[in-house]
Amino acid sequence: MNDKIGEFISEKNIVLNLGALNQSDAIQKLATVLKKNGYIDDVLAFQNDVLEREKASTTGIGNELAIPHGKSTHVIQTTMMFARNEEGIEWNSLDGSKVKNIFLMAVSPEDKGNEHLKMLATLSGELMDDDFVEAIKKADSKENILKILQKRGNER
Amino acid sequence: MKIVGITACIAGIAHTYMAAANLKKFAKKENCEIKIETQGAMGIENELTQAEIDEADVVIFAVDTTVQNEDRFNEKKILEVGTSKVVKDGKATIQDAIKLAKGE
């Protein structure tokens, strides 16, 4: 099984200066990019599915990070987006921190045990690694963020 | 100290794997052996054998949903927590498990 993160994402999956005003706005802005790149078929329906998941329990995992995710019938192909928001966004985070770094996971319910899910599982595990999180937070260009994601994926 | 555990969240996409990683991270810091079975969107992975379960001093269920094949853990000491708590404070979970194992 292949879990190399870098093989599934490109600079198109990364947004710096997202400019979102709040959680809902952030997810909508990212969903708009996903639609444009052909990963989902309906921005508002997908946004709704992600916000529903968020209601069950926050995905603000602390340390200015959030990992909203939606298993949604509106996902054409499982993927992820990374976004940086300069202003911290209120996210009900586990440690109360406002969110500046977002990994949005879009998952098709059709996917079971495939390499895209494996990629998301690998990424989730990496988020518990303080060095990885610090590197992501410090990275200031799409190229650098992609490099960090690719490097980590390759090591596993 | 030998710890085994199960992680499982509702969507089976992220928290299952974050909780597993955090338990491993802090078990290592406490010099505990650990093996975690993930029950996520990809099904059961890294499945625990009955021998591994039998040998364990304590079991951690980091779950937001029901554990599959729970009857394997009959008569074991089990610490049950939600995945978010493990993601937020894996250290406390491992320390609680150690306390439970020692009967403190």
Side-chain angles (χ1 to χ4, degrees), chain A residues 52-136:
Chain A
E52 273 303 310
R53 163 62 191 80
E54 207 67 39
K55 273 187 208 160
S57 67
T58 182
T59 63
I61 59 172
N63 206 358
E64 301 180 350
L65 273 175
I67 48 152
H69 46 285
K71 198 186 269 182
S72 168
T73 51
H74 298 283
V75 176
I76 297 162
Q77 190 184 62
T78 298
T79 190
M80 60 150 283
M81 293 280 309
F82 173 81
R84 168 83 45 73
N85 210 66
E86 292 306 317
E87 287 289 315
I89 301 171
E90 177 55 48
W91 211 283
N92 246 329
S93 291
L94 296 175
D95 66 354
S97 65
K98 296 207 168 163
V99 166
K100 291 184 178 175
N101 298 281
I102 303 166
F103 285 98
L104 172 68
M105 304 179 180
V107 176
S108 161
E110 311 270 306
D111 280 338
K112 283 192 183 69
N114 75 13
E115 39 196 39
H116 294 91
L117 280 178
K118 184 76 188 162
M119 180 268 289
L120 296 182
T122 303
L123 172 67
S124 300
E126 294 286 3
L127 293 173
M128 297 294 101
D129 181 331
D130 301 330
D131 294 339
F132 176 77
V133 172
E134 278 314 302
I136 287 286

Coordinates of all heavy atoms in Angstrom, one line a residue, chain A residues 52-136:
Chain A
E52 N -21.5 19.5 9.8 CA -22.3 18.5 10.6 C -21.3 17.6 11.4 O -21.5 17.4 12.6 CB -23.1 17.5 9.6 CG -24.4 18.1 9.3 CD -25.3 18.3 10.5 OE1 -25.4 17.4 11.4 OE2 -25.9 19.4 10.6
R53 N -20.2 17.2 10.8 CA -19.2 16.5 11.5 C -18.6 17.3 12.7 O -18.4 16.8 13.8 CB -18.1 16.0 10.5 CG -16.8 15.6 11.2 CD -17.0 14.3 12.1 NE -15.8 14.1 12.9 CZ -15.5 14.7 14.0 NH1 -16.2 15.6 14.5 NH2 -14.4 14.3 14.7
E54 N -18.4 18.6 12.4 CA -17.9 19.5 13.4 C -18.8 19.6 14.6 O -18.3 19.8 15.7 CB -17.7 20.9 12.7 CG -16.6 21.7 13.3 CD -15.2 21.1 13.1 OE1 -14.9 20.6 12.0 OE2 -14.4 21.2 14.0
K55 N -20.1 19.5 14.4 CA -21.1 19.6 15.5 C -20.9 18.4 16.4 O -21.2 18.6 17.6 CB -22.5 19.6 14.9 CG -23.0 21.0 14.5 CD -24.5 20.8 14.1 CE -24.9 21.9 13.2 NZ -26.1 21.6 12.4
A56 N -20.6 17.3 15.9 CA -20.4 16.1 16.8 C -19.3 16.3 17.8 O -19.4 15.9 19.0 CB -20.2 14.8 15.9
S57 N -18.2 16.8 17.3 CA -17.1 17.2 18.2 C -16.1 18.0 17.4 O -15.9 17.8 16.2 CB -16.4 15.9 18.8 OG -15.7 15.2 17.8
T58 N -15.4 18.9 18.1 CA -14.5 19.8 17.4 C -13.4 19.1 16.7 O -12.9 18.1 17.3 CB -14.0 20.9 18.3 OG1 -13.2 21.8 17.5 CG2 -13.1 20.3 19.4
T59 N -12.9 19.6 15.6 CA -11.7 19.1 15.0 C -10.6 20.0 15.2 O -9.5 19.9 14.6 CB -11.9 18.9 13.5 OG1 -12.1 20.1 12.8 CG2 -13.0 17.9 13.2
G60 N -10.8 21.0 16.1 CA -9.7 21.9 16.5 C -8.8 21.1 17.5 O -9.2 21.0 18.7
I61 N -7.7 20.5 17.0 CA -7.0 19.6 17.9 C -5.9 20.3 18.8 O -5.2 19.6 19.5 CB -6.2 18.5 17.0 CG1 -5.3 19.1 16.0 CG2 -7.3 17.6 16.3 CD1 -4.4 18.1 15.3
G62 N -6.0 21.6 18.7 CA -5.0 22.4 19.6 C -3.8 22.8 18.8 O -3.6 22.4 17.6
N63 N -3.0 23.7 19.4 CA -1.8 24.1 18.8 C -2.0 24.8 17.5 O -1.3 24.7 16.5 CB -0.8 22.9 18.6 CG 0.6 23.3 18.5 OD1 0.9 24.5 18.6 ND2 1.5 22.4 18.4
E64 N -3.2 25.6 17.4 CA -3.5 26.4 16.2 C -3.9 25.6 15.0 O -3.9 26.1 13.9 CB -2.4 27.4 15.9 CG -2.1 28.4 17.0 CD -1.1 29.4 16.6 OE1 -0.4 29.3 15.6 OE2 -0.9 30.3 17.4
L65 N -4.2 24.3 15.2 CA -4.4 23.4 14.1 C -5.9 22.9 14.1 O -6.4 22.6 15.2 CB -3.6 22.1 14.2 CG -2.2 22.1 13.6 CD1 -1.5 20.8 14.0 CD2 -2.2 22.2 12.1
A66 N -6.5 22.7 12.9 CA -7.8 22.1 12.9 C -7.8 21.1 11.7 O -7.1 21.4 10.7 CB -8.9 23.1 12.7
I67 N -8.5 20.0 11.8 CA -8.6 19.1 10.7 C -10.0 18.7 10.4 O -10.5 17.6 10.6 CB -7.8 17.8 11.1 CG1 -8.2 17.3 12.5 CG2 -6.3 18.0 11.0 CD1 -8.1 15.8 12.7
P68 N -10.8 19.7 9.9 CA -12.1 19.4 9.5 C -12.2 18.3 8.5 O -11.3 18.3 7.7 CB -12.6 20.8 8.9 CG -11.4 21.5 8.5 CD -10.3 21.1 9.5
H69 N -13.1 17.4 8.6 CA -13.2 16.4 7.6 C -14.7 16.0 7.3 O -15.5 16.0 8.2 CB -12.4 15.2 7.9 CG -12.5 14.7 9.3 ND1 -11.9 15.3 10.4 CD2 -13.1 13.6 9.8 CE1 -12.1 14.7 11.5 NE2 -12.9 13.6 11.2
G70 N -14.9 15.7 6.1 CA -16.3 15.3 5.7 C -16.2 14.0 4.9 O -15.5 14.0 3.9
K71 N -17.0 13.0 5.3 CA -17.2 11.9 4.5 C -18.5 12.2 3.8 O -19.6 12.3 4.4 CB -17.4 10.6 5.3 CG -17.2 9.3 4.6 CD -17.5 8.1 5.4 CE -16.3 7.6 6.1 NZ -16.6 6.4 7.0
S72 N -18.5 12.5 2.5 CA -19.6 13.1 1.9 C -19.8 12.5 0.5 O -18.9 12.3 -0.3 CB -19.3 14.6 1.7 OG -20.3 15.2 0.9
T73 N -21.1 12.3 0.1 CA -21.4 11.8 -1.2 C -21.1 12.8 -2.3 O -21.1 12.5 -3.4 CB -22.9 11.5 -1.3 OG1 -23.7 12.6 -0.8 CG2 -23.3 10.3 -0.4
H74 N -20.8 14.1 -1.8 CA -20.4 15.1 -2.8 C -19.0 15.1 -3.1 O -18.5 16.0 -3.9 CB -20.9 16.5 -2.3 CG -22.4 16.5 -2.2 ND1 -23.2 16.6 -3.3 CD2 -23.2 16.4 -1.1 CE1 -24.5 16.6 -2.8 NE2 -24.5 16.4 -1.5
V75 N -18.2 14.2 -2.5 CA -16.8 14.1 -2.9 C -16.6 13.1 -4.0 O -17.1 12.0 -4.0 CB -16.0 13.6 -1.6 CG1 -14.5 13.4 -2.0 CG2 -16.1 14.5 -0.5
I76 N -16.0 13.6 -5.1 CA -15.7 12.8 -6.3 C -14.5 12.0 -6.1 O -14.4 10.8 -6.4 CB -15.5 13.7 -7.5 CG1 -16.8 14.5 -7.8 CG2 -15.1 12.9 -8.7 CD1 -16.7 15.7 -8.7
Q77 N -13.4 12.6 -5.5 CA -12.2 11.8 -5.2 C -11.7 12.3 -3.8 O -11.5 13.5 -3.6 CB -11.2 12.0 -6.3 CG -10.0 11.1 -6.1 CD -8.9 11.4 -7.1 OE1 -8.3 12.4 -7.2 NE2 -8.6 10.4 -7.9
T78 N -11.3 11.3 -3.0 CA -10.8 11.6 -1.7 C -9.5 12.4 -1.8 O -8.6 12.0 -2.6 CB -10.5 10.3 -0.9 OG1 -11.8 9.6 -0.8 CG2 -9.9 10.5 0.4
T79 N -9.4 13.5 -1.0 CA -8.2 14.3 -1.1 C -8.1 15.2 0.2 O -8.9 15.0 1.1 CB -8.2 15.2 -2.3 OG1 -6.9 15.8 -2.4 CG2 -9.2 16.3 -2.2
M80 N -7.1 16.0 0.2 CA -7.0 16.9 1.4 C -6.5 18.3 0.9 O -5.9 18.4 -0.2 CB -6.0 16.5 2.4 CG -4.6 16.2 1.9 SD -3.3 16.5 3.1 CE -3.3 18.3 3.2
M81 N -6.8 19.3 1.7 CA -6.3 20.7 1.4 C -5.6 21.2 2.6 O -6.0 20.9 3.7 CB -7.5 21.7 1.2 CG -8.4 21.4 0.0 SD -7.7 22.1 -1.5 CE -7.3 23.8 -1.1
F82 N -4.6 22.0 2.4 CA -4.0 22.7 3.5 C -4.2 24.2 3.3 O -4.1 24.7 2.2 CB -2.5 22.5 3.6 CG -1.8 23.3 4.7 CD1 -1.9 22.9 6.0 CD2 -1.2 24.5 4.4 CE1 -1.3 23.8 7.0 CE2 -0.7 25.4 5.4 CZ -0.7 25.0 6.7
A83 N -4.6 24.9 4.4 CA -4.8 26.3 4.3 C -4.2 27.0 5.5 O -4.2 26.5 6.7 CB -6.2 26.7 4.2
R84 N -3.7 28.2 5.3 CA -3.1 29.0 6.4 C -4.0 30.3 6.4 O -4.3 30.9 5.4 CB -1.7 29.4 6.0 CG -1.1 30.5 6.8 CD -0.5 30.1 8.2 NE 0.3 28.8 8.1 CZ 1.5 28.7 7.6 NH1 2.1 29.8 7.1 NH2 2.1 27.6 7.6
N85 N -4.5 30.6 7.6 CA -5.3 31.8 7.8 C -4.5 32.8 8.7 O -4.1 32.3 9.8 CB -6.6 31.5 8.4 CG -7.7 32.5 8.0 OD1 -8.1 32.6 6.8 ND2 -8.2 33.3 8.9
E86 N -4.2 34.0 8.3 CA -3.3 34.8 9.1 C -4.0 35.2 10.4 O -3.3 35.2 11.5 CB -3.0 36.1 8.3 CG -2.0 35.9 7.1 CD -0.8 35.1 7.5 OE1 -0.2 35.4 8.5 OE2 -0.4 34.2 6.7
E87 N -5.3 35.4 10.4 CA -6.0 35.7 11.6 C -6.5 34.4 12.2 O -7.0 33.5 11.5 CB -7.3 36.5 11.3 CG -7.0 38.0 10.9 CD -6.6 38.8 12.1 OE1 -7.2 38.6 13.2 OE2 -5.6 39.6 12.0
G88 N -6.3 34.2 13.5 CA -6.7 33.0 14.2 C -8.3 32.9 14.1 O -8.9 34.0 14.3
I89 N -8.8 31.7 13.9 CA -10.2 31.5 13.8 C -10.7 30.8 15.0 O -10.1 29.8 15.4 CB -10.6 30.7 12.5 CG1 -10.1 31.4 11.2 CG2 -12.1 30.4 12.4 CD1 -10.2 30.6 10.0
E90 N -11.8 31.2 15.5 CA -12.4 30.5 16.7 C -12.9 29.1 16.2 O -13.6 29.0 15.2 CB -13.6 31.3 17.2 CG -14.4 30.6 18.3 CD -13.5 30.2 19.5 OE1 -12.7 31.1 20.0 OE2 -13.6 29.1 19.9
W91 N -12.5 28.1 16.9 CA -12.8 26.7 16.4 C -13.2 25.8 17.5 O -13.2 24.6 17.4 CB -11.6 26.1 15.7 CG -11.9 25.2 14.5 CD1 -12.3 23.9 14.7 CD2 -11.9 25.4 13.1 NE1 -12.5 23.3 13.4 CE2 -12.2 24.3 12.5 CE3 -11.5 26.6 12.4 CZ2 -12.3 24.2 11.1 CZ3 -11.6 26.5 11.0 CH2 -12.0 25.3 10.4
N92 N -13.4 26.4 18.7 CA -13.8 25.5 19.9 C -12.7 24.5 20.2 O -12.9 23.4 20.6 CB -15.0 24.7 19.5 CG -16.2 25.1 20.4 OD1 -16.0 25.5 21.5 ND2 -17.4 25.0 19.9
S93 N -11.4 24.9 19.9 CA -10.3 23.9 20.0 C -10.1 23.3 21.4 O -10.5 23.9 22.4 CB -9.0 24.7 19.7 OG -9.0 25.0 18.3
L94 N -9.6 22.1 21.3 CA -9.4 21.3 22.6 C -8.5 22.1 23.6 O -8.7 22.0 24.8 CB -8.6 20.0 22.3 CG -9.4 19.0 21.4 CD1 -8.5 17.8 21.1 CD2 -10.7 18.5 22.1
D95 N -7.6 22.9 23.1 CA -6.8 23.7 24.1 C -7.2 25.2 24.0 O -6.5 26.1 24.6 CB -5.3 23.6 23.7 CG -4.9 24.2 22.4 OD1 -5.8 24.6 21.6 OD2 -3.7 24.3 22.1
G96 N -8.3 25.5 23.4 CA -8.8 26.9 23.4 C -8.1 27.8 22.4 O -8.5 29.0 22.2
S97 N -7.1 27.3 21.6 CA -6.3 28.2 20.7 C -7.2 28.5 19.5 O -8.0 27.7 19.1 CB -5.0 27.5 20.3 OG -5.2 26.3 19.6
K98 N -6.9 29.6 18.9 CA -7.5 30.0 17.6 C -6.7 29.3 16.5 O -5.5 29.2 16.6 CB -7.6 31.5 17.5 CG -8.5 32.1 18.6 CD -9.1 33.4 18.2 CE -10.2 33.7 19.2 NZ -10.6 35.1 19.2
V99 N -7.5 29.0 15.4 CA -6.9 28.2 14.4 C -6.3 29.0 13.2 O -6.9 29.9 12.7 CB -7.9 27.2 13.8 CG1 -7.5 26.6 12.5 CG2 -8.2 26.1 14.9
K100 N -5.0 28.7 12.9 CA -4.4 29.4 11.8 C -4.0 28.4 10.7 O -3.6 28.8 9.6 CB -3.1 30.1 12.3 CG -3.4 31.3 13.2 CD -2.2 32.0 13.6 CE -2.5 33.3 14.4 NZ -1.3 33.9 14.9
N101 N -3.9 27.1 11.0 CA -3.5 26.1 10.1 C -4.6 25.0 10.0 O -5.0 24.4 11.0 CB -2.2 25.4 10.5 CG -1.1 26.4 10.6 OD1 -0.5 26.8 9.6 ND2 -0.8 26.9 11.8
I102 N -5.1 24.8 8.7 CA -6.2 23.9 8.5 C -5.8 22.8 7.5 O -5.4 23.1 6.5 CB -7.4 24.7 8.0 CG1 -7.8 25.9 8.9 CG2 -8.6 23.8 7.7 CD1 -8.7 26.9 8.3
F103 N -6.1 21.6 8.0 CA -6.0 20.5 7.0 C -7.5 20.0 6.8 O -8.1 19.5 7.7 CB -5.2 19.3 7.6 CG -3.7 19.5 7.6 CD1 -3.1 20.0 8.7 CD2 -3.0 19.3 6.4 CE1 -1.7 20.2 8.7 CE2 -1.6 19.5 6.5 CZ -1.0 19.9 7.6
L104 N -8.0 20.2 5.6 CA -9.4 19.8 5.3 C -9.3 18.5 4.6 O -8.6 18.4 3.6 CB -10.1 20.9 4.5 CG -11.5 20.4 4.0 CD1 -12.5 20.3 5.1 CD2 -12.0 21.5 2.9
M105 N -10.0 17.5 5.1 CA -10.0 16.2 4.5 C -11.4 15.9 3.8 O -12.4 16.1 4.5 CB -9.7 15.1 5.5 CG -8.4 15.3 6.2 SD -8.1 14.0 7.4 CE -6.5 14.5 8.1
A106 N -11.3 15.6 2.6 CA -12.6 15.3 1.8 C -12.6 13.9 1.5 O -11.7 13.4 0.7 CB -12.7 16.2 0.6
V107 N -13.6 13.1 2.0 CA -13.5 11.7 1.8 C -14.8 11.2 1.1 O -15.9 11.5 1.5 CB -13.4 11.0 3.1 CG1 -13.5 9.5 3.0 CG2 -12.1 11.4 3.8
S108 N -14.6 10.4 0.1 CA -15.7 9.8 -0.6 C -16.2 8.5 0.2 O -15.3 7.7 0.5 CB -15.3 9.4 -2.0 OG -16.2 8.4 -2.5
P109 N -17.5 8.4 0.4 CA -17.9 7.2 1.2 C -17.6 5.9 0.4 O -17.6 4.8 1.0 CB -19.4 7.3 1.3 CG -19.7 8.7 0.9 CD -18.6 9.2 0.0
E110 N -17.3 6.0 -0.9 CA -17.0 4.8 -1.7 C -15.6 4.2 -1.3 O -15.4 3.1 -1.5 CB -16.9 5.2 -3.2 CG -18.1 6.0 -3.7 CD -19.2 5.1 -4.2 OE1 -18.9 4.2 -5.1 OE2 -20.4 5.2 -3.8
D111 N -14.8 5.1 -0.8 CA -13.4 4.7 -0.5 C -13.4 3.8 0.8 O -13.7 4.2 1.8 CB -12.5 5.9 -0.3 CG -12.1 6.5 -1.6 OD1 -12.1 5.8 -2.6 OD2 -11.7 7.7 -1.6
K112 N -12.9 2.6 0.6 CA -12.6 1.8 1.8 C -11.3 1.1 1.6 O -11.1 0.3 0.6 CB -13.7 0.7 1.9 CG -15.0 1.3 2.5 CD -16.0 0.2 2.9 CE -17.3 0.7 3.4 NZ -18.1 1.4 2.3
G113 N -10.4 1.4 2.5 CA -9.1 0.7 2.4 C -8.2 1.1 1.2 O -7.4 0.3 0.8
N114 N -8.5 2.2 0.6 CA -7.6 2.6 -0.5 C -6.5 3.5 -0.1 O -6.3 3.9 1.1 CB -8.4 3.1 -1.7 CG -8.8 4.6 -1.4 OD1 -8.3 5.2 -0.5 ND2 -9.7 5.0 -2.2
E115 N -5.7 3.8 -1.0 CA -4.4 4.6 -0.7 C -4.7 6.0 -0.3 O -3.9 6.6 0.4 CB -3.4 4.5 -1.9 CG -4.0 4.5 -3.2 CD -3.1 4.1 -4.3 OE1 -2.3 3.1 -4.0 OE2 -3.0 4.7 -5.3
H116 N -5.8 6.6 -0.7 CA -6.1 7.9 -0.3 C -6.4 8.0 1.2 O -6.0 8.9 1.9 CB -7.3 8.5 -1.1 CG -7.0 8.7 -2.6 ND1 -7.3 7.7 -3.5 CD2 -6.4 9.7 -3.3 CE1 -6.8 8.1 -4.7 NE2 -6.4 9.3 -4.6
L117 N -7.2 7.0 1.6 CA -7.5 6.9 3.1 C -6.3 6.7 3.9 O -6.1 7.3 5.0 CB -8.5 5.8 3.4 CG -10.0 6.1 3.1 CD1 -10.8 4.8 3.4 CD2 -10.5 7.2 3.9
K118 N -5.4 5.9 3.3 CA -4.1 5.6 4.0 C -3.3 6.9 4.1 O -2.7 7.1 5.2 CB -3.4 4.6 3.1 CG -2.1 4.1 3.7 CD -2.3 3.1 4.9 CE -1.0 2.8 5.6 NZ -1.3 2.2 6.9
M119 N -3.3 7.7 3.1 CA -2.6 9.0 3.1 C -3.2 9.9 4.2 O -2.4 10.5 5.0 CB -2.8 9.6 1.7 CG -2.1 11.0 1.6 SD -3.2 12.4 1.9 CE -4.3 12.4 0.6
L120 N -4.5 9.9 4.4 CA -5.1 10.7 5.4 C -4.8 10.2 6.8 O -4.5 10.9 7.8 CB -6.6 10.8 5.2 CG -7.1 11.5 4.0 CD1 -8.6 11.6 3.9 CD2 -6.5 12.9 3.8
A121 N -4.7 8.9 6.9 CA -4.4 8.2 8.2 C -2.9 8.6 8.6 O -2.6 8.9 9.7 CB -4.6 6.7 8.1
T122 N -2.0 8.5 7.6 CA -0.6 8.8 7.8 C -0.5 10.3 8.3 O 0.2 10.6 9.2 CB 0.2 8.6 6.5 OG1 0.0 7.2 6.1 CG2 1.7 8.9 6.7
L123 N -1.2 11.1 7.6 CA -1.1 12.6 7.9 C -1.6 12.8 9.3 O -1.0 13.5 10.1 CB -1.9 13.4 6.9 CG -2.1 14.9 7.3 CD1 -0.8 15.6 7.2 CD2 -3.1 15.5 6.4
S124 N -2.7 12.1 9.7 CA -3.3 12.3 11.0 C -2.3 11.9 12.1 O -2.1 12.6 13.1 CB -4.6 11.4 11.2 OG -5.5 11.8 10.2
G125 N -1.6 10.8 11.9 CA -0.6 10.3 12.8 C 0.5 11.4 13.0 O 1.0 11.7 14.1
E126 N 0.9 11.9 11.8 CA 2.0 12.9 11.8 C 1.7 14.1 12.6 O 2.5 14.8 13.2 CB 2.3 13.4 10.4 CG 2.9 12.3 9.5 CD 4.3 12.0 9.8 OE1 4.9 12.6 10.7 OE2 4.9 11.2 9.1
L127 N 0.4 14.5 12.7 CA 0.0 15.7 13.4 C 0.2 15.6 14.9 O 0.1 16.5 15.6 CB -1.5 16.0 13.1 CG -1.8 16.4 11.7 CD1 -3.3 16.5 11.4 CD2 -1.1 17.7 11.3
M128 N 0.5 14.4 15.4 CA 0.8 14.2 16.8 C 2.3 14.4 17.1 O 2.8 14.3 18.2 CB 0.4 12.8 17.3 CG -1.1 12.5 17.2 SD -2.0 13.6 18.4 CE -2.6 14.9 17.3
D129 N 3.1 14.6 16.0 CA 4.5 14.8 16.1 C 4.8 16.3 16.1 O 4.6 17.0 15.2 CB 5.2 14.2 14.8 CG 6.7 14.3 14.8 OD1 7.2 15.2 15.5 OD2 7.3 13.4 14.2
D130 N 5.4 16.7 17.3 CA 5.6 18.1 17.5 C 6.5 18.7 16.5 O 6.3 19.9 16.1 CB 6.2 18.3 18.9 CG 5.3 17.8 20.0 OD1 4.0 17.8 19.8 OD2 5.8 17.4 21.1
D131 N 7.5 18.0 16.0 CA 8.5 18.5 15.1 C 7.8 18.8 13.7 O 8.0 19.8 13.1 CB 9.7 17.6 14.8 CG 10.5 17.4 16.1 OD1 10.4 18.3 16.9 OD2 11.2 16.4 16.2
F132 N 6.9 17.9 13.3 CA 6.2 18.0 12.1 C 5.3 19.2 12.1 O 5.3 20.1 11.2 CB 5.4 16.7 11.8 CG 4.5 16.8 10.6 CD1 5.0 16.7 9.3 CD2 3.1 17.0 10.7 CE1 4.2 16.7 8.2 CE2 2.3 17.1 9.6 CZ 2.8 17.0 8.4
V133 N 4.6 19.4 13.2 CA 3.6 20.5 13.4 C 4.4 21.8 13.4 O 4.0 22.8 12.7 CB 2.8 20.4 14.7 CG1 2.0 21.6 14.9 CG2 1.9 19.1 14.6
E134 N 5.5 21.9 14.1 CA 6.3 23.1 14.1 C 6.8 23.5 12.7 O 6.8 24.6 12.3 CB 7.5 23.0 15.1 CG 7.1 23.2 16.5 CD 6.3 24.5 16.8 OE1 6.7 25.6 16.4 OE2 5.2 24.3 17.3
A135 N 7.2 22.5 12.0 CA 7.7 22.7 10.6 C 6.6 23.3 9.7 O 6.8 24.2 9.0 CB 8.3 21.4 10.0
I136 N 5.4 22.7 9.8 CA 4.3 23.1 9.0 C 4.0 24.6 9.4 O 3.7 25.4 8.5 CB 3.1 22.2 9.3 CG1 3.3 20.9 8.6 CG2 1.8 22.9 8.8 CD1 3.1 20.9 7.1

